[in-house]
Amino acid sequence: GQELQAVGPGPRLMGRQIHDPYPDDALVIDSLAKEELSKFGPVPTSRNNTSHQRKFSAWLQREGRESIVSRLTGTDQQQQSLQKDYQDFIEAMGKKVGVSFDRLRQYLGAESQLKQHHPYPDDARIIDDLAKEELSKLGPDSTSQRKVIWNLTNNRRRFGNWLQTRGRESIASRLNGSDQQQWSLKIDYQDFTEAVGKKLNMSFNRLRQYQQVVEANAASGLSPEPASGREPAGLDGRSDPRAEFRSTSPL
């Protein structure tokens, strides 16, 4: 029983010398362990999970493969490569070591949060594609940037869901529309902030630019994938808060 009580930094620090995970993995793994400890007390299974997750991340780092967190909620391809590395890790260890990716993924809040919100299909597509593209560009140590992208994505999906439940037009159908359409989107956004009681950042400008790139690529027969985030010249997006919406002319 004694060993179960030892939950302070002791065992984790000892483990850290043997297993040195990627910094972004360590941050998420240890934060999740702390949260579980505060909720459930010292549970042997969660202690094992933490140690296995750190071991796997340390193995990835030694093998020169990407971190867990950089792929956990990435593209299908990134998630498959993570699964493949996990199989290689099990073979290398000679036994099945449970890592509980779902628990980590949930903790990161990406999947569980985003699935609560159901925007129009055209909104979901552009919001999720932009998020995937931006996440794919981040290095393994970009945990805080990752959180920013997930928060933005969550806000946009939440707004899209709100529009759909109220029978108002989608974001994507108005982002690059006429002055009148952009104005009506602005009004709906103001109604939304009043409804939720706070101003949630949407960065419509980034979404608008991404949509322009995707549409330009589609027009020239390219797949939408290489919308490489190189922003088209001449777009607003300076620090002027009104730049959120290009048009501020009244209806």
Side-chain angles (χ1 to χ4, degrees), residues 167-184:
R168 305 194 188 183
E169 286 175 68
S170 68
I171 303 168
S173 67
R174 294 183 282 174
L175 261 181
N176 282 295
S178 65
D179 283 355
Q180 193 175 337
Q181 284 175 308
Q182 291 188 39
W183 180 253
S184 77

mmCIF file of all heavy atoms in Angstrom, residues 167-184:
data_model
loop_
_atom_site.group_PDB
_atom_site.id
_atom_site.type_symbol
_atom_site.label_atom_id
_atom_site.label_comp_id
_atom_site.label_asym_id
_atom_site.label_seq_id
_atom_site.Cartn_x
_atom_site.Cartn_y
_atom_site.Cartn_z
ATOM 1 N N GLY A 167 -31.443 29.078 -37.724
ATOM 2 C CA GLY A 167 -31.865 29.203 -39.116
ATOM 3 C C GLY A 167 -31.273 30.414 -39.832
ATOM 4 O O GLY A 167 -31.843 30.915 -40.801
ATOM 5 N N ARG A 168 -30.114 30.902 -39.352
ATOM 6 C CA ARG A 168 -29.457 32.012 -40.056
ATOM 7 C C ARG A 168 -28.423 31.427 -41.022
ATOM 8 O O ARG A 168 -28.009 30.283 -40.864
ATOM 9 C CB ARG A 168 -28.798 32.957 -39.045
ATOM 10 C CG ARG A 168 -29.827 33.444 -38.014
ATOM 11 C CD ARG A 168 -29.324 34.611 -37.214
ATOM 12 N NE ARG A 168 -30.247 34.944 -36.121
ATOM 13 C CZ ARG A 168 -30.075 35.967 -35.297
ATOM 14 N NH1 ARG A 168 -29.021 36.770 -35.442
ATOM 15 N NH2 ARG A 168 -30.938 36.214 -34.332
ATOM 16 N N GLU A 169 -27.994 32.238 -41.966
ATOM 17 C CA GLU A 169 -27.085 31.700 -42.988
ATOM 18 C C GLU A 169 -25.721 31.338 -42.401
ATOM 19 O O GLU A 169 -25.300 31.867 -41.380
ATOM 20 C CB GLU A 169 -26.899 32.741 -44.096
ATOM 21 C CG GLU A 169 -28.098 32.891 -45.005
ATOM 22 C CD GLU A 169 -27.863 34.038 -45.990
ATOM 23 O OE1 GLU A 169 -26.982 33.883 -46.864
ATOM 24 O OE2 GLU A 169 -28.532 35.063 -45.870
ATOM 25 N N SER A 170 -25.016 30.445 -43.116
ATOM 26 C CA SER A 170 -23.713 29.965 -42.640
ATOM 27 C C SER A 170 -22.650 31.073 -42.709
ATOM 28 O O SER A 170 -22.817 32.082 -43.403
ATOM 29 C CB SER A 170 -23.258 28.773 -43.481
ATOM 30 O OG SER A 170 -22.963 29.188 -44.803
ATOM 31 N N ILE A 171 -21.563 30.849 -41.994
ATOM 32 C CA ILE A 171 -20.424 31.795 -42.027
ATOM 33 C C ILE A 171 -19.823 31.775 -43.432
ATOM 34 O O ILE A 171 -19.622 32.815 -44.063
ATOM 35 C CB ILE A 171 -19.326 31.370 -41.011
ATOM 36 C CG1 ILE A 171 -19.883 31.275 -39.591
ATOM 37 C CG2 ILE A 171 -18.139 32.328 -41.070
ATOM 38 C CD1 ILE A 171 -18.944 30.581 -38.584
ATOM 39 N N ALA A 172 -19.554 30.539 -43.935
ATOM 40 C CA ALA A 172 -18.834 30.390 -45.208
ATOM 41 C C ALA A 172 -19.572 31.038 -46.375
ATOM 42 O O ALA A 172 -18.951 31.568 -47.292
ATOM 43 C CB ALA A 172 -18.601 28.901 -45.501
ATOM 44 N N SER A 173 -20.922 31.040 -46.309
ATOM 45 C CA SER A 173 -21.681 31.597 -47.438
ATOM 46 C C SER A 173 -21.629 33.121 -47.463
ATOM 47 O O SER A 173 -22.015 33.746 -48.441
ATOM 48 C CB SER A 173 -23.134 31.130 -47.375
ATOM 49 O OG SER A 173 -23.776 31.705 -46.244
ATOM 50 N N ARG A 174 -21.135 33.734 -46.358
ATOM 51 C CA ARG A 174 -21.145 35.203 -46.303
ATOM 52 C C ARG A 174 -19.771 35.836 -46.143
ATOM 53 O O ARG A 174 -19.619 37.034 -46.353
ATOM 54 C CB ARG A 174 -22.050 35.656 -45.140
ATOM 55 C CG ARG A 174 -23.514 35.303 -45.369
ATOM 56 C CD ARG A 174 -24.391 35.819 -44.243
ATOM 57 N NE ARG A 174 -24.312 34.981 -43.049
ATOM 58 C CZ ARG A 174 -24.902 35.282 -41.897
ATOM 59 N NH1 ARG A 174 -25.586 36.409 -41.775
ATOM 60 N NH2 ARG A 174 -24.813 34.467 -40.860
ATOM 61 N N LEU A 175 -18.777 35.022 -45.758
ATOM 62 C CA LEU A 175 -17.437 35.564 -45.463
ATOM 63 C C LEU A 175 -16.889 36.450 -46.575
ATOM 64 O O LEU A 175 -16.332 37.507 -46.325
ATOM 65 C CB LEU A 175 -16.448 34.405 -45.289
ATOM 66 C CG LEU A 175 -16.085 33.952 -43.899
ATOM 67 C CD1 LEU A 175 -15.080 32.818 -44.012
ATOM 68 C CD2 LEU A 175 -15.536 35.072 -43.042
ATOM 69 N N ASN A 176 -16.996 35.955 -47.809
ATOM 70 C CA ASN A 176 -16.472 36.697 -48.959
ATOM 71 C C ASN A 176 -17.614 37.172 -49.861
ATOM 72 O O ASN A 176 -17.429 37.368 -51.058
ATOM 73 C CB ASN A 176 -15.490 35.823 -49.752
ATOM 74 C CG ASN A 176 -14.128 35.768 -49.063
ATOM 75 O OD1 ASN A 176 -13.441 36.782 -48.950
ATOM 76 N ND2 ASN A 176 -13.742 34.599 -48.576
ATOM 77 N N GLY A 177 -18.790 37.347 -49.262
ATOM 78 C CA GLY A 177 -19.957 37.745 -50.040
ATOM 79 C C GLY A 177 -20.013 39.256 -50.251
ATOM 80 O O GLY A 177 -19.032 39.976 -50.071
ATOM 81 N N SER A 178 -21.204 39.726 -50.602
ATOM 82 C CA SER A 178 -21.414 41.163 -50.838
ATOM 83 C C SER A 178 -21.260 41.923 -49.515
ATOM 84 O O SER A 178 -21.259 41.324 -48.441
ATOM 85 C CB SER A 178 -22.821 41.379 -51.382
ATOM 86 O OG SER A 178 -23.761 41.005 -50.372
ATOM 87 N N ASP A 179 -21.180 43.254 -49.611
ATOM 88 C CA ASP A 179 -21.100 44.076 -48.402
ATOM 89 C C ASP A 179 -22.276 43.766 -47.472
ATOM 90 O O ASP A 179 -22.122 43.684 -46.264
ATOM 91 C CB ASP A 179 -21.142 45.572 -48.766
ATOM 92 C CG ASP A 179 -19.790 46.035 -49.318
ATOM 93 O OD1 ASP A 179 -18.849 45.222 -49.316
ATOM 94 O OD2 ASP A 179 -19.694 47.193 -49.761
ATOM 95 N N GLN A 180 -23.439 43.594 -48.086
ATOM 96 C CA GLN A 180 -24.647 43.344 -47.296
ATOM 97 C C GLN A 180 -24.546 42.009 -46.542
ATOM 98 O O GLN A 180 -24.901 41.924 -45.371
ATOM 99 C CB GLN A 180 -25.859 43.329 -48.238
ATOM 100 C CG GLN A 180 -27.177 43.389 -47.502
ATOM 101 C CD GLN A 180 -28.348 43.507 -48.462
ATOM 102 O OE1 GLN A 180 -28.189 43.948 -49.594
ATOM 103 N NE2 GLN A 180 -29.531 43.109 -48.013
ATOM 104 N N GLN A 181 -24.014 40.968 -47.228
ATOM 105 C CA GLN A 181 -23.863 39.662 -46.572
ATOM 106 C C GLN A 181 -22.857 39.748 -45.421
ATOM 107 O O GLN A 181 -23.073 39.202 -44.345
ATOM 108 C CB GLN A 181 -23.396 38.616 -47.587
ATOM 109 C CG GLN A 181 -24.508 38.141 -48.524
ATOM 110 C CD GLN A 181 -23.953 37.187 -49.578
ATOM 111 O OE1 GLN A 181 -22.980 37.502 -50.269
ATOM 112 N NE2 GLN A 181 -24.560 36.021 -49.684
ATOM 113 N N GLN A 182 -21.750 40.458 -45.672
ATOM 114 C CA GLN A 182 -20.731 40.575 -44.618
ATOM 115 C C GLN A 182 -21.281 41.366 -43.433
ATOM 116 O O GLN A 182 -20.974 41.066 -42.279
ATOM 117 C CB GLN A 182 -19.463 41.211 -45.186
ATOM 118 C CG GLN A 182 -18.756 40.270 -46.155
ATOM 119 C CD GLN A 182 -17.398 40.786 -46.580
ATOM 120 O OE1 GLN A 182 -16.660 41.348 -45.778
ATOM 121 N NE2 GLN A 182 -17.058 40.618 -47.835
ATOM 122 N N TRP A 183 -22.078 42.358 -43.747
ATOM 123 C CA TRP A 183 -22.685 43.160 -42.687
ATOM 124 C C TRP A 183 -23.634 42.285 -41.859
ATOM 125 O O TRP A 183 -23.628 42.340 -40.628
ATOM 126 C CB TRP A 183 -23.439 44.348 -43.305
ATOM 127 C CG TRP A 183 -24.104 45.235 -42.281
ATOM 128 C CD1 TRP A 183 -25.426 45.332 -42.023
ATOM 129 C CD2 TRP A 183 -23.445 46.137 -41.390
ATOM 130 N NE1 TRP A 183 -25.649 46.249 -41.018
ATOM 131 C CE2 TRP A 183 -24.448 46.755 -40.600
ATOM 132 C CE3 TRP A 183 -22.109 46.487 -41.165
ATOM 133 C CZ2 TRP A 183 -24.167 47.702 -39.615
ATOM 134 C CZ3 TRP A 183 -21.828 47.428 -40.176
ATOM 135 C CH2 TRP A 183 -22.840 48.026 -39.418
ATOM 136 N N SER A 184 -24.443 41.441 -42.528
ATOM 137 C CA SER A 184 -25.398 40.596 -41.796
ATOM 138 C C SER A 184 -24.644 39.579 -40.932
ATOM 139 O O SER A 184 -25.099 39.213 -39.840
ATOM 140 C CB SER A 184 -26.362 39.894 -42.754
ATOM 141 O OG SER A 184 -25.732 38.801 -43.396
#
